[in-house]
Amino acid sequence: MSWTRHLQVGEADVYSLTDGQFRLDGGAMFGSVPKVLWERVAPADDLNRIHLRINPLLIRLSGQNILVETGFWDQGGEKFEGMYALNRDETVFRGLSDLGLSPEDIHLVINTHLHFDHAGRNVTALGEPTFPNARYVVQKQELHDTLHTHERSRASYVPGYIDPIQSAGLFEVVDGEHELLPGLSVLPLPGHNLGQQGVVLRSGGGVLVYAADLLPTLAHTPYPYIMAYDLYPVTTLETRKRYFPQWFEERAVICTPHDPDTAFARLEEGKKGGFVGVALPGA
């Protein structure tokens, strides 16, 4: 059964796609939260890895095809893919094809950030832009940090899918909150790294948010459930406390980049404060 799921948000058609499944260490995914708590919502395998998915988003708005995230790097080799238990049960390209689209039909790519599990399909195996007619939107801070890595960040970036886009002049570099099309904006969501951005769609009274790794899965909705991968975990907490109440009040549809089961959700108030993520019916 196809993973692709559809939601109408005002005048926009939104499709949750997938670029396959993978696994990461559960302890790293939940940071300081003890395993006895996080394994209730994210059971681990015998290597302590939890099940995740790669969830790009396609938005059709104002005659434009906008792709949020391009997918998992596909040139890491057998050892790399084995470490992450990568399973391409479906690909972003199949999802686009099912919608009658080819990579050439994408007008705009939004890179929430440039980690290999989010932007790895930016280029083809030949090193050419995968979406040649698109601008690739990235935050100024993120592009700077990509080009100036350090010991904590270096493993998350691969120059092979970044340099060709820069050389081709296809990066559209924005600095802070920025409207790309009427009703479609990018919003800085720092914490995982400083240059991460989310996507906010407002149309016909509806609101949809692609939360990037501020909220990697619905299991991470409680405020303390912050990844050890986050370079600035206290900033993550502050960003969550700033936006989660707003998205709750707006009844925004929430999309996460890695939830293995749910495409569209909403935030609900938790019994002990904060929020929990609740899947929309059929999502």
Side-chain angles (χ1 to χ4, degrees):
M1 183 179 70
S2 172
W3 164 266
T4 302
R5 294 146 195 208
H6 171 254
L7 188 70
Q8 188 83 26
V9 180
E11 299 299 316
D13 286 295
V14 181
Y15 300 88
S16 180
L17 309 178
T18 186
D19 200 42
Q21 306 175 64
F22 70 118
R23 289 182 177 269
L24 288 175
D25 183 83
M29 284 299 294
F30 288 97
S32 62
V33 178
K35 183 177 181 179
V36 68
L37 296 180
W38 62 253
E39 69 178 350
R40 299 174 185 174
V41 292
D45 65 12
D46 56 358
L47 296 178
N48 207 49
R49 301 174 303 181
I50 66 169
H51 179 210
L52 300 165
R53 188 171 277 281
I54 306 114
N55 301 328
L57 201 69
L58 179 77
I59 301 172
R60 282 178 155 171
L61 176 68
S62 301
Q64 302 282 297
N65 297 314
I66 302 105
L67 184 64
V68 183
E69 315 286 49
T70 60
F72 202 102
W73 189 42
D74 60 355
Q75 299 167 55
E78 184 177 347
K79 181 179 179 180
F80 178 87
E81 294 187 2
M83 180 167 60
Y84 295 105
L86 183 62
N87 175 12
R88 303 268 192 194
D89 59 339
E90 289 193 52
T91 69
V92 65
F93 304 117
R94 176 179 167 184
L96 291 174
S97 178
D98 288 346
L99 298 174
L101 298 175
S102 71
E104 289 75 17
D105 295 318
I106 300 301
H107 301 96
L108 192 65
V109 168
I110 301 175
N111 288 143
T112 66
H113 55 301
L114 294 171
H115 288 176
F116 65 77
D117 55 326
H118 292 257
R121 298 272 211 180
N122 275 9
V123 303
T124 68
L126 297 177
E128 299 171 346
T130 305
F131 306 96
N133 299 318
R135 295 168 290 139
Y136 290 66
V137 180
V138 66
Q139 285 286 324
K140 179 181 179 180
Q141 180 71 55
E142 176 65 356
L143 190 56
H144 174 274
D145 292 346
T146 299
L147 301 175
H148 300 83
T149 59
H150 52 71
E151 287 79 3
R152 275 295 307 273
S153 67
R154 192 166 298 134
S156 297
Y157 298 109
V158 179
Y161 61 76
I162 298 168
D163 293 348
I165 303 302
Q166 188 176 29
S167 297
L170 293 181
F171 274 129
E172 179 176 337
V173 181
V174 298
D175 191 7
E177 189 169 358
H178 184 81
E179 186 173 63
L180 302 170
L181 294 170
L184 184 70
S185 300
V186 291
L187 175 71
L189 297 176
H192 185 55
N193 50 23
L194 291 180
Q196 178 176 248
Q197 62 184 355
V199 180
V200 181
L201 169 66
R202 300 180 185 276
S203 180
V207 181
L208 179 141
V209 175
Y210 192 91
D213 274 339
L214 182 71
L215 184 60
T217 77
L218 294 183
H220 288 83
T221 308
Y223 283 142
Y225 282 44
I226 294 172
M227 295 187 289
Y229 295 115
D230 285 16
L231 298 180
Y232 306 93
V234 175
T235 303
T236 294
L237 181 61
E238 293 168 347
T239 305
R240 288 177 165 203
K241 287 187 172 181
R242 177 178 181 182
Y243 288 113
F244 281 13
Q246 175 183 325
W247 297 340
F248 167 73
E249 291 294 334
E250 292 180 320
R251 304 300 295 152
V253 175
I254 304 296
C255 303
T256 72
H258 296 311
D259 196 278
D261 303 308
T262 299
F264 305 113
R266 282 199 170 93
L267 299 180
E268 301 290 352
E269 291 179 317
K271 294 179 180 179
K272 298 181 180 179
F275 299 94
V276 295
V278 179
L280 295 183

